[in-house]
Amino acid sequence: MTHWMSDSDKTDNQSDLAVKPRAKSQRPPMYKVLMLNDDFTPMEFVVHVLERLFNMTHAQAIEIMLTVHRKGIAVVGVFSHEVAETKVAQVMELAHRQQHPLQCTMEKE
């Protein structure tokens, strides 16, 4: 016995096929964590933050710190929204505890 598909069955199958590949290929948006220069936060503290919170080597941290110092801003990492948000909060909390005005923000990549 042959089973015939109704028009509604065909539509359901077609919509399933149209949705599934699209969902698999979309990757979540990434966010840049940016550190901003100020005239008061010691360079050594910025290096410490980069090493501790962004797992940079001492040489990498110095290079990024100098970029922040010279250009006024630098990308210190690219992460998912949740991780970027956490990193920004950690930087701000650490700076606040040490009474430094260091600013850190995030923006969509």
Side-chain angles (χ1 to χ4, degrees), residues 60-83:
Q60 289 170 323
I62 288 174
E63 188 176 329
I64 294 291
M65 176 274 299
L66 289 172
T67 300
V68 172
H69 181 69
R70 290 183 188 126
K71 296 188 175 181
I73 192 168
V75 175
V76 296
V78 179
F79 308 96
S80 68
H81 185 270
E82 293 77 17
V83 173

Side-chain angles (χ1 to χ4, degrees), residues 53-107:
L53 300 180
F54 295 91
N55 300 316
M56 292 185 185
T57 64
H58 190 68
Q60 289 170 323
I62 288 174
E63 188 176 329
I64 294 291
M65 176 274 299
L66 289 172
T67 300
V68 172
H69 181 69
R70 290 183 188 126
K71 296 188 175 181
I73 192 168
V75 175
V76 296
V78 179
F79 308 96
S80 68
H81 185 270
E82 293 77 17
V83 173
E85 208 169 44
T86 300
K87 295 282 187 191
V88 169
Q90 289 173 332
V91 170
M92 299 300 285
E93 172 63 24
L94 195 55
H96 180 73
R97 279 203 315 250
Q98 298 296 316
Q99 299 181 339
H100 296 305
L102 181 64
Q103 294 293 304
C104 187
T105 188
M106 61 188 264
E107 68 180 34

Side-chain angles (χ1 to χ4, degrees), residues 11-22:
T11 305
D12 289 344
N13 287 340
Q14 287 171 349
S15 66
D16 285 348
L17 291 175
V19 172
K20 287 181 182 174
R22 192 168 174 209

Side-chain angles (χ1 to χ4, degrees), residues 8-49:
S8 65
D9 289 341
K10 290 177 187 174
T11 305
D12 289 344
N13 287 340
Q14 287 171 349
S15 66
D16 285 348
L17 291 175
V19 172
K20 287 181 182 174
R22 192 168 174 209
K24 286 180 185 175
S25 65
Q26 272 184 332
R27 89 173 222 255
M30 300 298 280
Y31 291 80
K32 296 185 284 191
V33 174
L34 304 159
M35 196 166 282
L36 308 171
N37 188 47
D38 65 74
D39 293 331
F40 304 101
T41 304
M43 292 179 176
E44 297 80 19
F45 179 75
V46 175
V47 169
H48 170 73
V49 167

